[in-house]
Amino acid sequence: MGQAPVVYGQSSRPPRGDYSRAHEDYTCAQDFAAYTAQDHDTYHRLYERQSALLPGLASQAFIDVLPRLGAKERIPRFDDINEALWKATQWEIVAVPGLIPERAFFSLLANRKFPVTDWIRKPEEFEYIVEPDVFHDLFGHVPLLFNPVIADYIQRYGQGGLKAEELGHGEMLSRLYWYTIEFGLIREPQGVRAYGAGILSSSGELQYSVQSPEPRRLPLDLMRTMRTRYKIDTYQQTYFVIDSFEQLFALTEPDFTQIYEELSTLPEYGANSELLVSAD
């Protein structure tokens, strides 16, 4: 492959995955036969652990659609999920070997194709893994693709990402994805709940993000969010809260060209919400 995977944020670990399997668009066939009994057991145990933690912490919208992911006893076949997903929102999931370059990622999303890493973590990584694996992607991301508003938002993000990449602002836009789709919180009648995949697939951060007094929980403001850096290998120190998925969709409706120009003149915030003197 001509490009190396792109990793935004801050981490000392390089991405892993067998990229020799990938096509030009970085997708590959799900190698279902390669999964071992231990792999399926790891998935099952992760699913059981996370689903038991959801009440009172996860968005009810997520809890309602989680059963549409299918059998929890084993890693599902992507084709089986796609049959139901396509009928619901005209999305499909495609296998990838791991983290992929931004343009490839944006292109897939713009075409309503969600990239899912097809390998699963090792047993010794049960509690924590830096890279997204098949459990993180399936359990954390795919259920809300059955929600029409989120499905349309993610496609819009992909379309905007292609433009941001051409303008040289891919990293800036990646922060919006990070603080919404990966680590977003939503205010529901019962209180603040998690809808971001990075939170939903983590036992520790699911409880921490909703219940801990340590992190900041700020109302999601587009400019503020895109000025905030993040780290990929620690719990978040800042979370942004939306009132509805419709609000999130509406925020991304304007042309971002002028927004990028304005953002480039403003200082950034660190992951801990401290205002930085410059963006260096």
Side-chain angles (χ1 to χ4, degrees), residues 136-137 141 177-184 195-200:
H136 164 80
D137 284 342
H141 283 291
Y177 187 90
W178 185 262
Y179 284 116
T180 59
I181 297 305
E182 287 290 356
F183 289 93
Y195 72 91
I199 302 175
L200 295 168

Side-chain angles (χ1 to χ4, degrees), residues 49-70:
R49 192 266 302 271
Q50 285 306 116
S51 58
L53 294 173
L54 297 178
L57 297 174
S59 165
Q60 190 59 47
F62 178 85
I63 293 174
D64 289 345
V65 295
L66 180 60
R68 305 192 72 172
L69 200 56

Side-chain angles (χ1 to χ4, degrees), residues 24-41:
E24 287 298 317
D25 63 356
Y26 282 87
T27 64
C28 60
Q30 182 190 21
D31 191 359
F32 192 83
Y35 297 134
T36 65
Q38 184 179 73
D39 290 336
H40 289 296
D41 179 66

Side-chain angles (χ1 to χ4, degrees), residues 32-233:
F32 192 83
Y35 297 134
T36 65
Q38 184 179 73
D39 290 336
H40 289 296
D41 179 66
T42 297
Y43 180 89
H44 182 214
R45 290 188 298 118
L46 284 166
Y47 193 112
E48 288 287 313
R49 192 266 302 271
Q50 285 306 116
S51 58
L53 294 173
L54 297 178
L57 297 174
S59 165
Q60 190 59 47
F62 178 85
I63 293 174
D64 289 345
V65 295
L66 180 60
R68 305 192 72 172
L69 200 56
K72 58 186 178 182
E73 293 78 19
R74 58 173 175 78
I75 300 170
R77 294 180 184 273
F78 293 179
D79 288 345
D80 292 340
I81 294 175
N82 282 337
E83 186 175 350
L85 185 58
W86 180 261
K87 291 178 182 177
T89 57
Q90 286 74 58
W91 269 81
E92 61 180 313
I93 59 175
V94 291
V96 292
L99 293 169
I100 63 175
E102 59 176 349
R103 186 165 187 81
F105 179 68
F106 295 147
S107 294
L108 289 172
L109 297 187
N111 287 285
R112 298 179 86 88
K113 296 180 180 181
F114 195 89
V116 173
T117 302
D118 68 345
W119 52 261
I120 193 163
R121 70 194 70 182
K122 300 175 182 177
E124 58 267 27
E125 299 172 304
F126 188 85
E127 292 298 331
Y128 178 73
I129 186 171
V130 175
E131 308 92 331
D133 70 344
V134 69
F135 176 75
H136 164 80
D137 284 342
L138 287 182
F139 187 94
H141 283 291
V142 175
L144 281 179
L145 285 174
F146 283 91
N147 180 292
V149 180
I150 285 291
D152 287 347
Y153 167 70
I154 295 178
Q155 181 184 29
R156 175 177 284 176
Y157 178 86
Q159 294 167 337
L162 291 172
K163 182 174 182 178
E165 196 262 348
E166 292 176 358
L167 296 173
H169 294 295
E171 180 169 7
M172 196 174 288
L173 187 64
S174 77
R175 297 170 183 172
L176 180 62
Y177 187 90
W178 185 262
Y179 284 116
T180 59
I181 297 305
E182 287 290 356
F183 289 93
L185 299 177
I186 185 170
R187 192 174 305 281
E188 296 186 338
Q190 295 74 26
V192 171
R193 298 291 186 264
Y195 72 91
I199 302 175
L200 295 168
S201 61
S202 165
S203 62
E205 192 148 8
L206 180 58
Q207 295 167 307
Y208 169 86
S209 66
V210 175
Q211 298 178 336
S212 173
E214 295 180 16
R216 285 191 173 191
R217 300 176 186 86
L218 306 175
L220 189 141
D221 172 84
L222 192 63
M223 299 287 285
R224 175 67 169 79
T225 303
M226 293 173 71
R227 291 169 64 191
T228 305
R229 298 180 183 181
Y230 59 86
K231 294 184 178 181
I232 71 172
D233 50 9

